[in-house]
């Protein structure tokens, strides 16, 4: 398959010229074969990971005729072209592969044996057989708990494996409650609620792959957007979809979702809360209206030797007409400009065309039209109009608003003075993650006036047509003139094969971007499906931004409101979703904790009870025998103790030091390839073999949702957890074993 795709790609790339249709087809094939090669390369590791043996009654059915009672399951579907295209390998998303994930001893679905196959490249490294039929298990001499009846050794092996710093897919070990969500046919908002370690992110990514497989034609054109909480998280999950055979999905944070802007500025927690609230919408509207001015004193203009005055009355009337059009600011500007020019033309006509005898104006309607046209092209007049109603960009409006306390007071007068003070900042060209939804809102309020660009494009096209026609005329003029008349029709000339439009079109440079690349640069792009991970962190303004990109409202929302750390984040799914989809959303829950050992979850459960006593604790599937420990030290010993503990982690896997914002710089020198030093916010969605939580008292104190942050910090570990503190432990951590 790889050799075929390589050969076809090489052939296509060597082709040149041709009709517009041929060039379009060539570009499509180039993209197709390039994506195929990426897919094959990504799926090479663990290509075939499962097998199910069916009972004879199922094996004889027409549905299974092509697999003869045995089905192999893998990352891609592969057919045997030499054997009447019989199925060699089932794509894990295919309906016939589903029993591999759903069959149990209680409901075997015709499956006698399930085999898990582990491999590296093309070498099989381990095989685990799980019997779902007691008779077959006895015949094979299989024992319960040793790859026997109902064995979960493959799952436990995957859970206990050392972490690498990159998320692995779970395609080999998807569990039944996860599979039901991955394959859900719900076509509105599907909410996947689950506690730490329940596999929410893995389920979301596998759902993306499943939907692309099932609705390929629809989603390949519109694209799939996955929104994560931060860049660290996106890097962590970046290889999962390619390993599942999908390479055309756009991954982004909210801060980077607005094209051309990268979130690099840090806001205070209070500023984030203010910007995330819907009350900021009215502030932005007033900020735009504040840029639509009327002069306090008349603006005196010289036109054609005469003076005209653009006074407050003219500007106010023009502003009223433009606003009443309900168009966005930039698109309403031509209405404002026309009204001003009409008023100035009338004023000028009264001066230039006045009849001294008191009769009608001496200027005809044609004269007035000519004056309007000249005034519209006059630089001084246009400068005055621009001063009163400028063409604005979202970045310009927001930067000016937040950098100028006076502008902010006029636009946000309804906010308390302390809140306005939190928003003020110097304009250094940087924006924060909380600014991105505000920029998106401003883009809606301002609109894009692309009339000039469209006119330039039309002029370029007319010039290209003229050049192409000139070229054809030259070819026509150089044709032989001494041919016999009756032979002329039999000789094909250039103009017989191509016209000027076709020739000009061949000179256009085409972009060979993928759907994801095109979507990333287009603010108005609408996606076929959107997946929002750690969705509880999105503010109300962020949700407005997301909903603009998915008008069909086909969204998978993944999160846990008990882990909400952002002060503008969600406390209820109903509160966030019902303004957009009313009752058309469905809540599903993941209840099994695959990541966090029972010993750690017992400690985290007390924190969860403080956040919301009514929330159920996800059930851990394993124990490690390593109870969480607490190290009490002095402030002077804090860094040295953590350094010593981290150095003691000599085995495989990853380690994380989770510290409060105020201390993160002190512990930064500890970071290395297998050791990450992060704030709790940066650690959301990640997992590590060992976790050291530093100064839990400060984590609680530095945020209004400090208890939620502590809950997140405690549940990042897959094997070992320790808390290093300087004072008394918070009461919720009293069960920790003192070291």
């Amino acid at each position: 398959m790889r050799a075929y795709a390589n050969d076809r790609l090489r052939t296509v790339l060597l082709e040149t010229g041709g009709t517009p249709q041929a060039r379009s087809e060539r570009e499509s094939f180039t993209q197709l074969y390039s994506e195929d090669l990426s897919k094959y390369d990504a799926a090479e590791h663990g290509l075939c990971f499962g097998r199910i043996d069916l009972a004879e009654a199922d094996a004889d059915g027409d549905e299974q005729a092509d697999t003869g009672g045995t089905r192999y399951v893998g990352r891609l579907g592969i057919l045997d072209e030499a054997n009447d295209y019989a199925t060699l390998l089932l794509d894990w998303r295919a309906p016939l592969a589903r029993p591999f994930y759903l069959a149990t001893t209680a409901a075997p679905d015709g499956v006698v044996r399930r085999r898990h196959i582990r491999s590296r490249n093309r070498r099989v490294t381990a095989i685990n057989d799980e019997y779902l039929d007691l008779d077959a298990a006895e015949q094979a001499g299989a024992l319960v708990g040793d790859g026997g009846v109902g064995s979960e050794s493959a799952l436990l092996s995957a859970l206990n494996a050392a972490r690498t710093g990159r998320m692995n897919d779970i395609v080999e070990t998807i569990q039944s409650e996860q599979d039901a969500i991955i394959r859900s046919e719900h076509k509105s908002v599907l909410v996947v609620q689950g506690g730490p370690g329940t596999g929410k992110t893995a389920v979301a990514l596998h759902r993306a792959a499943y939907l692309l497989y099932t609705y390929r034609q629809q989603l390949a054109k519109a694209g799939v957007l996955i929104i994560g909480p931060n860049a660290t998280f996106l890097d962590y999950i970046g290889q999962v979809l390619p390993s599942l055979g999908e390479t055309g999905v756009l991954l982004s944070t909210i801060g980077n979702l607005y094209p051309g802007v990268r979130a690099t500025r840090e806001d205070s927690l209070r500023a984030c809360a203010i910007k995330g609230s819907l009350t900021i919408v009215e502030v932005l509207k007033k900020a735009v209206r504040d840029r639509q001015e009327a002069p306090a004193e008349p603006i005196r203009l010289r036109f054609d030797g005469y003076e005209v005055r653009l006074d407050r009355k003219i500007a106010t009337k023009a502003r009223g007409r433009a606003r009443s059009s309900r168009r966005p600011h930039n698109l309403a500007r031509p209405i404002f400009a026309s009204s001003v020019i009409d008023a100035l033309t009338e004023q000028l006509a009264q001066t230039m065309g006045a009849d001294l005898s008191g009769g009608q104006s001496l200027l005809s309607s044609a004269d007035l039209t000519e004056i309007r046209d000249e005034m519209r092209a006059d630089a001084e007049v246009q400068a005055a109009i621009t001063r009163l109603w400028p063409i604005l960009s979202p970045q310009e409006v927001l930067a000016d608003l937040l950098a100028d306390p006076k502008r902010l007071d006029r636009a946000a007068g309804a906010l308390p003075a302390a809140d306005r003070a939190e928003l003020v900042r110097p304009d250094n060209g940087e924006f924060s993650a909380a600014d991105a939804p505000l920029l998106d809102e401003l883009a809606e309020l301002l609109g894009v006036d692309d009339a000039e660009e469209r006119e330039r494009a039309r002029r370029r096209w007319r010039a290209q047509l003229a050049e192409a026609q000139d070229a054809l005329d030259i070819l026509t003029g150089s044709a032989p003139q001494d041919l016999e008349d009756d032979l002329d029709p039999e000789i094909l000339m250039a103009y017989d094969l191509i016209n000027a439009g076709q020739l000009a079109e061949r000179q256009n440079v085409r972009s060979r971007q993928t759907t994801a690349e095109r979507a990333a640069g287009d603010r108005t792009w609408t996606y076929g499906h959107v997946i929002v991970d750690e969705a509880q962190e999105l503010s109300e303004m962020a949700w407005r931004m997301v909903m603009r990109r998915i008008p069909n409202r086909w969204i998978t929302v993944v999160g846990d409101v008990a882990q909400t750390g952002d002060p503008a984040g969600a406390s209820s799914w109903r509160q966030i979703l019902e303004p957009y989809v009313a009752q058309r959303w469905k809540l599903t829950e993941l209840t099994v904790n695959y990541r966090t050992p029972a010993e750690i979850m017992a400690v985290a459960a007390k924190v969860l009870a403080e956040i919301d006593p009514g929330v159920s604790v996800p059930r851990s599937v394993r124990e490690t025998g390593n109870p969480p420990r607490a190290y009490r030290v002095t402030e002077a010993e804090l860094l040295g103790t953590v350094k010593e503990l981290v150095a003691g982690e000599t085995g495989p896997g990853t380690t994380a030091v989770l510290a409060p914002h105020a201390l993160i710089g002190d512990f930064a020198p500890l970071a290395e390839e297998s050791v990450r030093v992060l704030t709790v916010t940066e650690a959301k969605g990640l997992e590590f073999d060992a976790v050291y939580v530093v100064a839990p008292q400060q984590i609680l104190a530095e945020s209004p949702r400090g208890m939620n942050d502590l809950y997140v910090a405690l549940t990042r570990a897959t094997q070992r957890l320790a808390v290093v503190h300087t004072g008394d432990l918070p009461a919720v951590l009293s069960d920790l074993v003192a070291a």
Side-chain angles (χ1 to χ4, degrees):
M1 291 163 68
R2 182 185 284 111
Y4 174 79
N6 256 321
D7 181 61
R8 292 299 304 143
L9 179 61
R10 188 181 304 110
T11 301
V12 168
L13 291 176
L14 288 175
E15 294 177 0
T16 59
T19 65
Q21 179 180 347
R23 293 199 310 280
S24 177
E25 291 176 354
R26 185 164 65 244
E27 290 165 4
S28 298
F29 281 126
T30 298
Q31 181 174 337
L32 172 67
Y33 295 128
S34 297
E35 289 178 355
D36 281 347
L37 287 171
S38 298
K39 180 169 61 178
Y40 301 152
D41 289 341
E44 177 77 26
H45 177 59
L47 174 63
C48 173
F49 55 78
R51 164 181 158 177
I52 49 178
D53 296 341
L54 304 170
E56 287 299 322
D58 293 317
D60 293 338
D62 292 339
E63 189 179 32
Q64 288 84 29
D66 62 337
T67 54
T70 297
R71 302 178 193 167
Y72 285 95
V73 182
R75 299 176 184 277
L76 300 175
I78 299 179
L79 303 177
D80 185 358
E81 297 181 15
N83 187 22
D84 199 24
Y85 290 90
T87 301
L88 287 175
L89 187 66
L90 280 169
D91 191 299
W92 67 274
R93 297 165 286 191
L96 286 177
R98 202 171 187 193
F100 180 78
Y101 300 110
L102 298 186
T104 64
T105 52
D109 198 18
V111 178
V112 174
R113 177 176 65 175
R114 174 167 45 214
R115 168 169 288 181
H116 293 273
I117 305 168
R118 302 184 73 92
S119 62
R120 178 163 296 279
N121 296 323
R122 303 195 177 192
R123 179 181 176 83
V124 175
T125 59
I127 289 177
N128 172 261
D129 283 344
E130 178 185 351
Y131 288 89
L132 305 182
D133 180 88
L134 184 59
D135 293 337
E138 290 178 349
Q139 291 177 10
L143 301 176
V144 176
D146 183 27
V149 179
S151 169
E152 294 185 337
S153 57
L155 173 62
L156 294 176
S157 174
L159 297 180
N160 286 317
R163 270 44 183 181
T164 63
R166 302 295 291 272
M167 184 179 183
N168 295 319
D169 62 65
I170 61 167
V171 66
E172 302 173 24
T173 57
I174 293 171
Q175 302 301 293
S176 58
E177 72 170 3
Q178 297 173 328
D179 184 81
I181 294 171
I182 290 170
R183 299 174 192 263
S184 172
E185 298 298 322
H186 188 68
K187 283 297 186 72
S188 186
V189 178
L190 179 68
V191 177
V192 184
Q193 164 77 32
T198 53
K200 299 184 299 296
T201 298
V203 166
L205 296 174
H206 287 69
R207 177 164 170 75
Y210 172 78
L211 293 176
L212 282 163
Y213 173 85
T214 308
Y215 304 98
R216 175 74 61 188
Q217 186 172 5
Q218 174 183 346
L219 295 180
K221 294 179 180 178
V224 173
L225 170 66
I226 296 179
I227 299 174
N230 52 58
T232 305
F233 175 83
L234 295 183
D235 183 60
Y236 175 64
I237 68 172
Q239 291 303 310
V240 174
L241 281 168
S243 73
L244 297 174
E246 299 299 342
T247 57
V249 176
L250 176 64
L251 278 67
S252 178
T253 63
I254 283 292
N256 294 339
L257 194 53
Y258 188 88
V261 173
R262 290 292 174 264
T264 55
R265 186 192 287 267
E266 287 287 335
D267 277 330
S268 68
L269 292 177
R270 184 57 192 155
C272 287
I274 298 167
K275 292 178 179 180
S277 169
L278 291 180
T279 57
I280 202 72
V281 174
E282 193 60 33
V283 174
L284 298 177
K285 289 179 179 178
K286 290 181 177 179
V288 173
R289 291 171 73 90
D290 187 48
R291 306 300 288 267
Q292 301 164 358
E293 300 180 14
E297 297 294 331
I299 301 174
R300 300 177 184 276
L301 304 169
R302 299 293 300 178
F303 179 78
D304 201 19
Y306 294 87
E307 181 183 280
V308 290
R309 290 156 45 100
L310 202 174
D311 57 22
R312 188 173 186 82
K313 182 179 179 181
I314 292 174
T316 301
K317 181 179 179 181
R319 186 172 63 183
R321 286 186 59 192
R323 286 177 176 175
S324 64
S325 71
R326 305 283 185 179
R327 295 182 183 179
H329 171 89
N330 290 331
L331 300 185
R333 184 181 183 276
I335 298 174
F336 176 83
S338 292
S339 181
V340 168
I341 289 171
D342 286 346
L344 294 180
T345 300
E346 183 178 344
Q347 187 183 125
L348 187 62
Q350 292 175 357
T351 303
M352 293 177 61
D355 186 346
L356 298 179
S357 63
Q360 293 183 345
S361 173
L362 300 179
L363 297 177
S364 66
S365 59
D367 294 330
L368 295 178
T369 300
E370 185 177 352
I371 291 173
R372 286 192 191 92
D373 292 342
E374 291 178 359
M375 196 170 286
R376 189 170 284 110
D378 187 84
E380 189 177 359
V381 173
Q382 285 300 320
I385 292 173
T386 298
R387 170 184 159 187
L388 301 178
W389 195 292
I391 295 177
L392 298 170
S393 71
Q395 293 92 321
E396 179 184 1
V397 173
L398 186 60
D400 289 350
L401 173 68
L402 300 182
D404 188 341
K406 292 182 179 179
R407 285 190 188 276
L408 195 56
D409 288 344
R410 292 196 297 269
L415 295 179
D419 285 354
R420 296 200 299 273
E422 282 287 341
L423 295 177
V424 174
R425 70 187 191 198
D427 177 17
N428 63 356
E430 296 182 348
F431 294 95
S432 68
D435 289 334
L438 275 58
L439 292 170
D440 202 62
E441 191 74 29
L442 284 168
E444 294 290 312
L445 295 172
L446 295 174
V448 178
D449 183 7
D450 60 351
E452 290 187 11
E453 177 57 35
R454 284 186 280 112
E455 179 56 33
R456 284 196 294 269
R458 283 194 291 266
R459 286 198 296 267
R460 286 196 299 268
W461 176 244
R462 287 195 293 268
Q464 284 180 283
L465 277 177
E467 290 177 3
Q469 188 61 56
D470 288 344
L472 289 176
D473 290 344
I474 292 172
L475 290 174
T476 303
S478 63
Q481 302 299 317
D482 56 351
L483 296 173
E484 298 180 12
D485 291 341
D486 57 344
L487 294 179
D488 286 349
E490 299 180 11
I491 300 177
L492 291 177
M493 306 301 295
Y495 47 78
D496 293 320
L497 302 175
I498 192 170
N499 60 35
Q502 293 171 323
L503 182 58
E505 204 275 339
R506 293 185 64 174
Q507 313 310 311
N508 289 335
V509 178
R510 294 183 180 271
S511 172
R512 294 183 177 178
Q513 291 181 312
T514 64
T515 298
E517 290 169 337
R518 294 197 307 274
D522 185 354
R523 192 194 71 83
T524 61
W525 189 277
T526 54
Y527 294 87
H529 190 78
V530 171
I531 293 176
V532 186
D533 204 350
E534 300 293 340
Q536 74 278 356
E537 301 300 324
L538 269 63
S539 67
E540 292 175 307
M541 287 300 295
W543 278 110
R544 283 173 69 90
M545 185 181 192
V546 170
M547 290 299 180
R548 289 190 188 105
R549 284 151 177 78
I550 186 72
N552 67 6
R553 301 294 190 258
W554 191 15
I555 312 172
T556 301
V557 174
V558 182
D560 178 14
V561 290
Q563 297 185 59
T564 304
D566 194 300
S571 57
S572 156
W573 297 123
R574 177 173 285 103
Q575 169 196 351
I576 289 294
L577 297 174
E578 289 195 352
Y580 300 100
V581 295
Q583 304 297 320
R584 300 189 313 277
W585 62 282
K586 178 181 178 181
L587 176 66
T588 60
E589 292 195 64
L590 294 169
T591 59
V592 180
N593 189 334
Y594 301 100
R595 175 206 300 147
T596 316
E599 298 91 340
I600 296 177
M601 205 59 212
V603 175
K606 293 189 67 174
V607 180
L608 182 59
E610 286 290 320
I611 299 170
D612 186 348
V615 176
S616 58
V617 181
R619 175 179 59 85
S620 296
V621 300
R622 64 195 176 98
E623 299 178 356
T624 61
N626 297 318
R629 300 184 180 277
Y631 296 82
R632 181 166 183 169
V633 298
T634 66
E635 290 189 11
E637 297 170 331
L638 188 60
L639 178 58
T641 300
V642 174
K643 184 177 181 179
E644 183 179 337
L645 291 170
V646 170
E649 296 287 346
T650 56
T654 58
T655 301
V657 175
L658 305 184
H661 284 81
L663 299 180
I664 199 72
D666 298 339
F667 292 90
L670 301 182
E672 54 184 68
E673 185 176 355
S674 61
V675 179
R676 305 293 299 275
V677 178
L678 305 166
T679 64
V680 178
T681 301
E682 293 169 335
K684 280 188 180 293
L686 309 183
E687 61 183 13
F688 308 90
D689 293 273
V691 171
Y692 293 92
V693 179
V694 178
Q697 305 95 324
Q698 292 190 44
I699 291 176
L700 287 171
E702 69 182 5
S703 168
R705 285 178 162 164
M707 195 65 72
N708 302 62
D709 288 342
L710 182 59
Y711 181 58
V712 171
L714 296 175
T715 53
R716 299 304 95 195
T718 65
Q719 302 292 339
R720 299 173 296 283
L721 171 68
V723 174
V724 186
H725 59 106
T726 55
D728 293 336
L729 276 173
V732 290
L733 299 182
S734 59
D735 291 344
L736 288 173
V737 177

